[in-house]
Amino acid sequence: MNIVAKTKRFANSVLFNLRVHGFADRKYLREVMLPAMAETKPSNVMLAGTRRYNTGYPKLFNQQTTAVWTLDFDPRAARFGNGHLHRTCDIREMDRVFSGIRFDVVHINGLLGFGIDTDDDIKRMIEAVHRSLVAGGYMMLGWDADATVDPSENKTILARFEHKAFASLPARHRVVGMKGYDHVFDWFRQGEL
């Protein structure tokens, strides 16, 4: 690839990330959800899915009280993760990769319908997340209404989690009217197996 093509590709990437950064769901994440999570002073948080537009998310937490881990299945995304606390892995196998760590919160945004697509994918992800949480820990699922079915109606999820508010955040927050799709944030509290 020549220098002109590389420069154009980089510029398009930066523009895309700036556009995503300005979406209403991303503003809600940065300005409301992640600060509310940080206020609870969790010991370990997992932010699943790493891209340029969310590189600042770990900095919203007090680094003295909270270890903010990041993961992505794409090795190229590691540069946008949280340094030595980033792992390259499939979320469906996170319990093996993080076998000695238990999370207070596992934050999963944008994976349903974008890599976690089938009932088996969801089942494997939910089982791995459930095993990775502390007792009573929380999972947040952010999803596009046009890309996947409602996770609050998924029997696999409801067998292990209760749809429940987290701290000052509602169990469900919907961001509507975003250029043809709605983005939904759902909180689930771990239940017993």
Side-chain angles (χ1 to χ4, degrees), residues 9-25:
R9 185 173 161 200
F10 177 75
N12 287 336
S13 174
V14 169
L15 290 173
F16 171 79
N17 284 291
L18 286 172
R19 193 171 80 239
V20 170
H21 194 70
F23 287 167
D25 61 329

Side-chain angles (χ1 to χ4, degrees), residues 4-76:
V4 172
K6 285 182 181 179
T7 302
K8 186 175 182 178
R9 185 173 161 200
F10 177 75
N12 287 336
S13 174
V14 169
L15 290 173
F16 171 79
N17 284 291
L18 286 172
R19 193 171 80 239
V20 170
H21 194 70
F23 287 167
D25 61 329
R26 293 292 165 175
K27 286 184 174 184
Y28 177 77
L29 273 171
R30 285 190 318 273
E31 297 171 9
V32 179
M33 182 182 288
L34 294 172
M37 287 171 57
E39 284 178 18
T40 67
K41 295 182 174 54
S43 295
N44 287 293
V45 170
M46 167 56 64
L47 302 179
T50 304
R51 294 293 178 262
R52 182 184 311 274
Y53 47 80
N54 55 19
T55 56
Y57 293 176
K59 293 177 181 74
L60 297 171
F61 293 83
N62 180 333
Q63 303 299 304
Q64 302 301 315
T65 59
T66 304
V68 181
W69 299 82
T70 57
L71 77 76
D72 200 284
F73 74 97
D74 183 355
R76 296 172 297 172

Side-chain angles (χ1 to χ4, degrees), residues 15 21 76 85 92 116 119 145-146 149:
L15 290 173
H21 194 70
R76 296 172 297 172
L85 297 181
R92 294 169 293 190
I116 302 297
D119 288 338
D146 66 335
V149 296

Side-chain angles (χ1 to χ4, degrees), residues 85-103:
L85 297 181
H86 179 80
R87 299 293 182 272
T88 298
C89 74
D90 185 320
I91 194 164
R92 294 169 293 190
E93 298 177 1
M94 72 174 285
D95 57 324
R96 288 191 289 161
V97 173
F98 296 95
S99 63
I101 300 166
R102 293 291 169 260
F103 298 98

